[in-house]
Amino acid sequence: MPASPSLFSDRSTISLINFFALVLSSIIFSVFYVKSVQPAAMERNNCNDAYQVCARHRLISSIFMAIASFNYVVYYFFPLPVANELLQKHFAWPYWVSVAIALTIGIPCAVLMYRGIVDAGEETMTPKKEHQLYGGIYDSVRHPQAIGEMPLWWTFAFLLNSPFLVAFSCLYIPVWIIFCRMEEMDLTIRYGSSYEEYRKRVGFLFPKRTTAVLTSKSA
């Protein structure tokens, strides 16, 4: 029995509200994350509690990132009708294939993100002026958390078996690159020449060949 027009309209309304909430939450977490990685620049502009302000911005960013993740789940139940016309609602292959792809992406990325969080310590959420340059995995790559975190959106999308969400997740690639670039601008203000030397020695998103060789020798 076909669905009634009112039911279809209600589902379309929910799907539109959820999609716009996803876009809005993505914009908000992006704006606040960029704000959260500029404590040195804020302090230079006479903001006495710059590091505390940035910590609050990062918390707000994390909250809206969680909301965006929730919007992904809601999208599974209320997909955009127009997206279903352009793309399939679900991938044509068996669901286990999507799960396998999700795990292939998610497991190494989660491990990399975890290593970055551990080596960054409390600065992951709370920037502090007295904190020094990180060690550990940061001696091999400058942004391990970004490399690990951004692909997790694809992991989430494949677990939800949604071609649209996989495509939408691609929009986060330039966003995460902007995050990293903005953070590096502030770290240059914060650490000066020592950070410039670090940038020359260690790769942005992937290890430099010389860094990889040195790392393997030290191991």
Side-chain angles (χ1 to χ4, degrees), residues 117-136:
I117 291 173
V118 169
D119 290 337
E122 60 184 350
E123 273 242 340
T124 297
M125 290 299 296
T126 310
K128 290 191 174 181
K129 185 176 182 178
E130 64 272 16
H131 208 288
Q132 300 301 310
L133 287 172
Y134 312 145

Side-chain angles (χ1 to χ4, degrees), residues 20-175:
F20 285 117
L22 170 60
V23 173
L24 182 61
S25 58
S26 297
I27 292 172
I28 293 174
F29 84 63
S30 299
V31 169
F32 274 94
Y33 190 85
V34 168
K35 286 176 173 288
S36 80
V37 296
Q38 302 184 68
M42 291 176 63
E43 189 176 55
R44 190 171 63 176
N45 290 328
N46 299 319
C47 179
N48 295 327
D49 58 346
Y51 286 82
Q52 292 88 340
V53 170
C54 286
R56 291 196 292 270
H57 286 164
R58 195 159 302 180
L59 177 60
I60 294 170
S61 176
S62 299
I63 291 171
F64 279 94
M65 195 177 294
I67 293 173
S69 301
F70 176 75
N71 294 138
Y72 265 47
V73 177
V74 174
Y75 186 90
Y76 175 82
F77 297 101
F78 298 95
L80 285 172
V82 65
N84 287 344
E85 293 176 5
L86 298 173
L87 299 169
Q88 294 176 320
K89 182 178 180 180
H90 303 302
F91 288 105
W93 55 60
Y95 179 60
W96 68 264
V97 175
S98 293
V99 173
I101 295 172
L103 294 177
T104 300
I105 297 171
I107 292 175
C109 287
V111 171
L112 185 60
M113 182 180 172
Y114 174 76
R115 281 288 309 275
I117 291 173
V118 169
D119 290 337
E122 60 184 350
E123 273 242 340
T124 297
M125 290 299 296
T126 310
K128 290 191 174 181
K129 185 176 182 178
E130 64 272 16
H131 208 288
Q132 300 301 310
L133 287 172
Y134 312 145
I137 196 169
Y138 289 87
D139 289 331
S140 299
V141 64
R142 302 202 301 268
H143 298 281
Q145 290 188 60
I147 305 170
E149 185 176 34
M150 188 271 132
L152 293 180
W153 292 101
W154 283 317
T155 298
F156 210 9
F158 276 111
L159 286 175
L160 294 170
N161 206 24
S162 171
F164 174 80
L165 290 178
V166 170
F168 185 86
S169 299
C170 294
L171 298 176
Y172 290 130
I173 296 175
V175 172

